[in-house]
Amino acid sequence: MNASSEFRQAIENALQSLRNGDRHTARRWAEYAVTLNPNVEEPWRLLAGMATPRSSVGYIQRALKINQNSETARRALQWA
């Protein structure tokens, strides 16, 4: 498995874990995705969604550094 497919699989595993209600495992997969590629917005948004509003701000800011035009990250920042 190459790094790109490993990253994608980590994201899919995080999302599946969230759908199954397992936030602890979802967080671990999202953190792993960040280690594989910290320059992609999606795992930072996932981490923000699993954090408290106060803690999520740092994750959202990281996502916005990567993609300043992300409407999802902007809405998340307003929520936080």
Side-chain angles (χ1 to χ4, degrees), residues 18 23 26-27 30 41-53 55-60 63 72-73 76-77 79-80:
L18 277 176
R23 292 171 63 88
R27 182 175 181 79
E41 167 190 6
E42 189 172 12
W44 294 109
R45 287 193 336 251
L46 283 169
L47 288 168
M50 292 182 270
T52 63
S55 299
S56 68
V57 171
Y59 295 127
I60 297 164
T72 304
L77 191 57
W79 167 82

Side-chain angles (χ1 to χ4, degrees), residues 16-41:
Q16 184 61 47
S17 295
L18 277 176
R19 285 190 287 273
N20 293 337
D22 186 353
R23 292 171 63 88
H24 176 74
T25 301
R27 182 175 181 79
R28 284 189 11 239
W29 280 113
E31 288 170 344
Y32 180 59
V34 164
T35 66
L36 292 171
N37 191 343
N39 298 315
V40 175
E41 167 190 6

